[in-house]
């Protein structure tokens, strides 16, 4: 169902049938509750429906879900926005082959200082920690390997009622995309602080990563791949996960610090469960993911 705001609404009273139609076919809230239930059943801690301060507008907004998961020496946080789109108006992500300069993610490393002997258990010979906390670029990312498809453009595609014309729009999805990026701001701030290690009860060194995620219903996510010369490589295909390169830099951490989120994740409900199961819940999977191993 596509909802449109209009200044020329009918003056007939809206009754229970219209409200039920909205709740059954177009409610983001019922979908986000379903995602919350799925994650909770997997043993994942979630915050639901709180407020955050938008770093761009400085206004307070409401997030859908926030996730925090610690496995041993690694912590994962995510800002998750849920969008209940229909099979009649699916999302198409247009992809190209990921360049080497895009094949990375960043992580924070809370480490002992490099003043110890080289034989010490936590000696890290190639990493100097500056006074300002910066994200460390992991160029061997298992999440984002060189040459794999990476999203560069999005569009929801449908047809007008009683017409053959296509209706193409990315405004609603872009709004959810923006909310996920903005909601992630203070989560990045939280994991940049050395006090994180005290909070999660782990020992140093400790790694931390943050991701923005938009979740949509099963069967509504498609991708199409293009070669470098602009020719289409085959037909669109249904997928459960697509990564879109964004390269957004987060500041407002410790003075002078920075952290770059390289990709936005778009997943179906099934894709979200698979992602958490494969990358986050297995023994040492999260630590290996964050370190790029």
């Amino acid at each position: 169902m596509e909802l449109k705001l209009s200044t020329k609404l009918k003056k007939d009273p809206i009754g229970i049938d219209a409200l039920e139609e909205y709740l059954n076919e177009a409610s983001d809230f019922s979908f986000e509750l379903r995602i919350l239930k799925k994650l909770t059943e997997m043993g994942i801690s979630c915050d639901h429906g709180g407020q955050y301060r938008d770093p761009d507008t400085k206004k307070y907004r409401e997030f859908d879900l926030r996730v925090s998961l610690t496995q041993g020496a690694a912590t994962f946080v995510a800002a998750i926005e849920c969008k209940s789109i229909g099979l009649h108006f699916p999302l198409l992500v247009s992809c190209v082959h990921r360049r080497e300069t895009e094949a990375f993610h960043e992580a924070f490393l809370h480490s002992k200082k490099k003043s110890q002997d080289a034989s010490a258990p936590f000696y890290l010979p190639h990493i100097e920690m500056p006074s300002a906390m910066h994200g460390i670029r992991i160029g061997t990312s298992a999440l984002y390997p060189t040459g794999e498809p990476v999203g560069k453009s999005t569009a929801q595609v449908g047809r007008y009622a009683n017409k053959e014309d296509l209706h193409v729009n990315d405004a609603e999805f872009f709004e959810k995309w923006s909310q996920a990026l903005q909601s992630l701001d203070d989560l990045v701030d939280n994991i940049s602080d050395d006090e994180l290690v005290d909070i999660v009860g782990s020992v140093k060194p400790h790694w931390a990563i943050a991701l923005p995620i938009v979740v949509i219903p099963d069967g509504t996510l498609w991708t199409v791949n293009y070669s470098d010369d602009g020719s289409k490589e085959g037909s669109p295909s249904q997928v459960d996960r697509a990564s879109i390169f964004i390269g957004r830099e987060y500041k407002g951490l410790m003075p002078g610090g920075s952290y770059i989120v390289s990709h936005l994740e778009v997943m179906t409900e099934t894709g979200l469960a698979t992602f958490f199961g494969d990358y986050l819940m297995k023994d040492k999977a999260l630590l290996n993911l964050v370190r790029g191993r």
Side-chain angles (χ1 to χ4, degrees):
M1 169 178 285
E2 181 184 355
L3 299 180
K4 292 184 178 180
L5 296 177
S6 173
T7 57
K8 297 181 180 179
L9 293 175
K10 290 184 178 180
K11 298 198 180 205
D12 299 338
I14 291 294
I16 191 170
D17 289 345
L19 296 177
E20 289 286 3
E21 182 181 356
Y22 160 71
L23 292 174
N24 292 333
E25 298 184 30
S27 173
D28 286 342
F29 185 68
S30 60
F31 180 56
E32 89 186 39
L33 287 177
R34 196 163 80 229
I35 299 302
L36 174 63
K37 182 174 183 290
K38 181 178 288 288
L39 291 174
T40 302
E41 288 175 346
M42 295 178 68
I44 298 165
S45 173
C46 300
D47 291 328
H48 176 229
Q51 286 193 332
Y52 67 95
R53 192 181 187 197
D54 187 314
D56 296 330
T57 65
K58 309 304 179 186
K59 295 180 180 180
Y60 284 95
R61 306 183 71 176
E62 189 173 273
F63 63 80
D64 288 351
L65 299 170
R66 285 179 168 184
V67 164
S68 178
L69 176 68
T70 295
Q71 296 276 21
T75 292
F76 169 87
V77 297
I80 301 177
E81 292 293 316
C82 304
K83 184 64 181 172
S84 182
I85 63 178
L87 296 175
H88 65 292
F89 200 34
L91 180 69
L92 175 66
V93 180
S94 296
C95 304
V96 297
H97 297 284
R98 185 181 287 109
R99 296 177 296 176
E100 187 174 354
T101 55
E102 300 168 338
F104 73 92
H105 69 261
E106 289 198 355
F108 289 113
L109 174 62
H110 303 284
S111 170
K112 291 182 180 291
K113 293 182 180 179
K114 189 189 166 184
S115 59
Q116 55 186 305
D117 183 79
S119 62
F122 297 127
Y123 177 65
L124 299 169
H126 302 301
I127 298 176
E128 291 279 5
M129 297 304 295
S131 57
M133 180 59 74
H134 290 272
I136 295 173
R137 182 161 298 199
I138 309 297
T140 55
S141 176
L143 281 175
Y144 311 120
T146 302
E148 292 295 312
V150 59
K152 293 289 183 169
S153 177
T154 63
Q156 282 185 255
V157 182
R159 285 195 185 277
Y160 286 104
N162 302 320
K163 294 182 181 180
E164 292 300 317
D165 296 339
L166 289 174
H167 174 55
V168 180
N169 191 337
D170 70 347
E172 291 185 9
F173 176 73
F174 184 75
E175 175 67 15
K176 280 295 183 182
W177 167 342
S178 298
Q179 288 179 25
L181 296 180
Q182 291 155 350
S183 175
L184 197 69
D185 184 74
D186 54 337
L187 294 181
V188 171
D189 204 353
N190 290 342
I191 65 170
S192 74
D193 197 321
D194 274 334
E195 291 183 2
L196 171 74
V197 181
D198 299 324
I199 295 170
V200 300
S202 182
V203 295
K204 295 182 180 181
H206 190 93
W207 297 81
I209 186 174
L211 288 182
I213 299 173
V214 178
V215 184
I216 59 179
D218 286 350
T220 63
L221 180 59
W222 294 74
T223 59
V224 61
N225 298 331
Y226 287 85
S227 64
D228 293 339
D229 64 7
S231 58
K232 187 162 61 73
E233 298 180 339
S235 299
S237 59
Q238 268 192 357
V239 297
D240 284 321
R241 175 185 165 222
S243 303
I244 300 171
F245 184 78
I246 52 172
R248 174 164 174 147
E249 183 177 19
Y250 288 80
K251 294 187 177 179
L253 314 168
M254 298 170 65
S258 67
Y259 180 83
I260 294 177
V261 172
S262 59
H263 292 72
L264 169 83
E265 291 287 345
V266 185
M267 304 178 189
T268 64
E269 185 174 353
T270 295
L272 182 71
T274 301
F275 178 84
F276 274 77
D278 288 349
Y279 288 112
L280 306 178
M281 305 302 292
K282 294 179 181 178
D283 185 42
K284 295 185 179 179
L286 176 56
L287 180 59
N288 290 335
L289 171 70
V290 174
R291 295 187 300 179
R293 296 183 180 179

